[in-house]
Structures are given as structure tokens and as C-alpha cells.
Amino acid sequence: MTALIARLADGVAAIPADQWDACAGTGNPFVGHGFLAALEASGSVGARSGWQPIPIVVDDADGVPIAVAPAYGKSHSQGEYVFDHGWADAWERAGGAYYPKLQVAAPFSPVPGPRLLLRDDSAAPALIAAIEAVADQHKLSSAHATFIAPAQLPFFERAGWLIRQGTQFHWANDGYATFDDFLAALASRKRKAIRKERAAAVEGLTIRHLTGTDIEARHWDAFWRFYQDTGSRKWGQPYLTRSFFSLLGEALGDRVLLILAERDGVPIAGALNLIGDDTLYGRYWGCTEEVPFLHFELCYYQAIDAAIARGLKTVEAGAQGEHKLARGYVPVPTWSAHYIPDPGFRRAIADFLVRERASVAADQDYLGELTPFRRSTS
């Protein structure tokens, strides 16, 4: 058997971009070198952020990475969107230290995707073993891989990690050529409601879709104001720095889609999306002027327009939000995996997850009955 060597790297930027992306692929920009290195270079992770980049790398006999995990030492549970605060409280009440913990994730991004970045699937067990070794050797309470692509779940299940289920709302392109084709699949009342919302949202406004070099510093300045407003209301302070957005635009180019609403030539609202191989990922939104339904227009309807125009299969519009149901976004399961070394703590969490999964599955069944699509009469 070929010898494999596992190691910790001093940040994603310490690994050549071509070597990282040979493992990450091109399908999901949130695990690509460009996105993750921009987080580091901008100071959005590292230092006092509570996200310390410690990528875990498995090299082949020639010292070339064949598998990497975007791993972070975490001193809190913010910016993860899979909530384990109750676990932390329970462990600390029992006399343990929950933090620091190990997080395998795309920071601040509740976007399903690969968490084991593999040139060959045969390297998955070695990478998972390396993640476990880091947790064990540093006596960490736990390791967590969040928003795992469903295809990678079996790797974690075979390794004995605990599996947790959540819910998001995604839009699926059923071969639509236009937005009106999508509307035709909805019940009449829902179709009329969406048309009314869209008309009200854009009255007096100009909507612009910008990618690549069309996104100038002034556009990022405007979006930064929007992002700060949303961040201060949701999280107390924004996770990302201003420089991150410029670095993101430089690194990802035409894979960045910035949708702006302008009044008399002045941007008043915006939504930031990243373009994957088959999915449009909606991430951030904000505004400086409150306009009814404008959030739905920029984040959901314009995203659908953009996906149809590009022939993309899916729109993922971020975490939570049952209000997405009425806009044609349907409930889908999301997955995370958890390594808990302490046997007693593991049993307690396993019991909790059994109960939680039953509740989540029941909620998904219920929500699935509330979609706006026309019911078959057959």
C-alpha cells in the first residue's frame, strides 16, 4: 500500500492553489482555494475571529496533496448555522471544555458541498482518520463537518460519526426556459401573488446583474454598506471585512454575480451570489432603503431568472426561511457529521439526534405539503 502522510497546513494560502483545487474541483466555489484564501487574506478568518485556519492535508509518497479538509479551530459556535450551543452548555456543565473544537466547513456559508476534498475517493478514510487524530491529539471535545454533500455522507457513516439532519429551501429548475414557464407550474393564486410582488418590488427601480470586471470598487462599496446593515442586525457585527469582497471578485471573476437595485442611478439594495457548475448560491443581501418585497425580488426571483438564463439546475438561497416556500423553494434535507471522542457525551448526543431527526423529518413532510405547485388531479 502506498504510504500516505497527514499534516496540518498553516492556512489555505500555504497550499498552492492548483494543488488545493485539484482536490476541491470546480463544482462548489465555497471550498475552492480562491474563496477560502480570500477569507484569510482579508482577515475575515484567523487572528481574533475565532476561526483559526488549520487545513488538514493528506499527501502521497511524492508529497503532493491527494486529500484536504478545510478545517478550523473554533473558540465559539458562531457563523456555522448548525447550532450546537446546547451541546456546549451540557458538556461544560459536566465539567468539560467544549471549546476549542474542530470545524470542517466553509466559514460563514451554510452551503452544502464536499467537506472531504479528494483527488480520489479512496483517500477519504485516511483524511477522516487524520481529522480524528487532530481532535484526539489536541484533546478537543469534538470535530464537526457541516453542510456535507449527500454523496459524502457514507464516508462519515462508515467512520462511525454521528449524523445530524437539517432543512433548507432550494429551487429546482424543471427544464424551464423562462420565469413564466416556472410560474405556469404554480397554482393560479400563487402565480398571481408572485407577479404582484415582483411588480411592486421593482417600481421606480433599475435591476442590474453584474459579474467579473463589471463589478467595480464603487459597487463593492455600496454592497459593503448593505452587508454591514444586515450583519449588524443579525449577528451584532459583520463576519466579513470590506477587503474580502474585492478579493473575492478578483479571485472568482465571472463566478460572482452581484444583483443591485438602483434608484435614479444610486444602489439602494443588493444580493451577492456565487455561480457553481450547476447551482446558483445566494449568500448575502442588504439595503439602505426599505422597499416592500424587494428582498424577495433580489434574493429569490432574480436568482431564478439568473439560473434559468444560465441553464443551472438549482438555486440555493441560504439557511432557513419558511417564507421561501411560497416563492417556489422546496424543503430539502441538509447533513452534518460529528466526531465525539468521549463515550458518555457521544451517547447523550446520539440520543438527542434520534429524537431531533424524527422531528425534522416530520417538519419536512409537513412543509412539503405547503409548496405552491399545482397538485396533480390524477
Side-chain angles (χ1 to χ4, degrees):
M1 181 177 178
T2 303
L4 301 177
I5 299 174
R7 60 185 170 92
L8 292 178
D10 187 20
V12 173
I15 302 169
D18 61 337
Q19 294 185 2
W20 182 280
D21 287 338
C23 297
T26 63
N28 187 302
F30 293 90
V31 293
H33 193 276
F35 180 85
L36 297 173
L39 289 172
E40 294 176 7
S42 66
S44 300
V45 299
R48 293 182 295 275
S49 70
W51 290 80
Q52 185 58 44
I54 46 171
I56 299 171
V57 185
V58 175
D59 293 326
D60 65 16
D62 296 322
V64 177
I66 62 167
V68 293
Y72 297 82
K74 289 295 305 297
S75 60
H76 54 66
S77 291
Q78 297 170 5
E80 297 169 9
Y81 304 92
V82 175
F83 303 108
D84 63 350
H85 301 89
W87 301 4
D89 290 344
W91 188 232
E92 290 175 4
R93 284 199 306 271
Y98 193 72
Y99 305 107
K101 63 177 182 174
L102 189 63
Q103 195 80 20
V104 180
F108 321 122
S109 303
V111 176
R115 295 299 176 257
L116 306 174
L117 311 184
L118 308 168
R119 279 203 285 140
D120 189 301
D121 284 357
S122 64
L127 184 54
I128 290 178
I131 295 169
E132 293 174 354
V134 170
D136 293 342
Q137 292 169 13
H138 292 271
K139 301 188 185 324
L140 303 181
S141 69
S142 51
H144 310 264
T146 44
F147 294 99
I148 300 168
Q152 290 199 338
L153 270 180
F155 296 136
F156 292 95
E157 290 172 331
R158 285 194 288 269
W161 288 41
L162 300 177
I163 304 302
R164 189 177 192 184
Q165 184 175 351
T167 302
Q168 283 188 350
F169 298 89
H170 299 172
W171 179 84
N173 186 352
D174 191 17
Y176 306 122
T178 66
F179 193 90
D180 280 343
D181 287 346
F182 157 62
L183 288 182
L186 306 185
S188 174
R189 182 171 58 86
K190 299 294 186 180
R191 185 164 58 243
K192 292 176 182 177
I194 288 175
R195 286 191 172 123
K196 186 176 181 180
E197 282 188 357
R198 297 202 75 178
V202 301
E203 186 175 359
L205 300 178
T206 299
I207 308 299
R208 301 193 187 280
H209 289 214
L210 303 174
T211 62
T213 56
D214 290 337
I215 307 176
E216 301 174 3
R218 62 188 178 92
H219 298 126
W220 285 129
D221 288 340
F223 187 76
W224 171 245
R225 292 193 295 273
F226 306 148
Y227 171 74
Q228 281 187 303
D229 177 70
T230 300
S232 63
R233 285 186 282 108
K234 281 191 173 182
W235 314 304
Q237 66 179 45
Y239 295 133
L240 303 173
T241 65
R242 166 63 183 86
S243 63
F244 167 77
F245 295 101
S246 292
L247 291 169
L248 181 72
E250 293 169 9
L252 271 67
D254 287 340
R255 303 198 82 176
V256 177
L257 171 61
L258 183 61
I259 303 176
L260 296 177
E262 297 179 351
R263 188 183 299 282
D264 300 324
V266 177
I268 65 161
L272 176 62
N273 307 264
L274 296 186
I275 304 169
D277 282 357
D278 60 10
T279 300
L280 183 70
Y281 301 95
R283 281 307 302 119
Y284 301 107
W285 136 273
C287 63
T288 53
E289 178 184 329
E290 295 290 341
V291 176
F293 308 119
L294 187 57
H295 172 250
F296 302 146
E297 175 64 24
L298 293 194
C299 296
Y300 307 147
Y301 303 140
Q302 289 290 329
I304 291 172
D305 280 334
I308 291 173
R310 289 169 170 79
L312 301 176
K313 295 179 181 178
T314 309
V315 177
E316 297 184 12
Q320 303 161 334
E322 293 183 13
H323 55 277
K324 296 170 186 170
L325 274 171
R327 280 91 198 171
Y329 290 70
V330 301
V332 299
T334 58
W335 306 97
S336 59
H338 308 270
Y339 174 66
I340 313 294
D342 182 89
F345 192 31
R346 175 189 165 86
R347 283 194 298 272
I349 290 178
D351 289 344
F352 166 80
L353 291 178
V354 169
R355 297 191 299 272
E356 183 188 57
R357 182 176 294 188
S359 175
V360 169
D363 285 345
Q364 288 177 355
D365 288 343
Y366 169 72
L367 292 170
E369 295 297 316
L370 302 180
T371 65
F373 293 91
R374 287 185 284 112
R375 299 288 190 264
S376 172
T377 56
S378 59

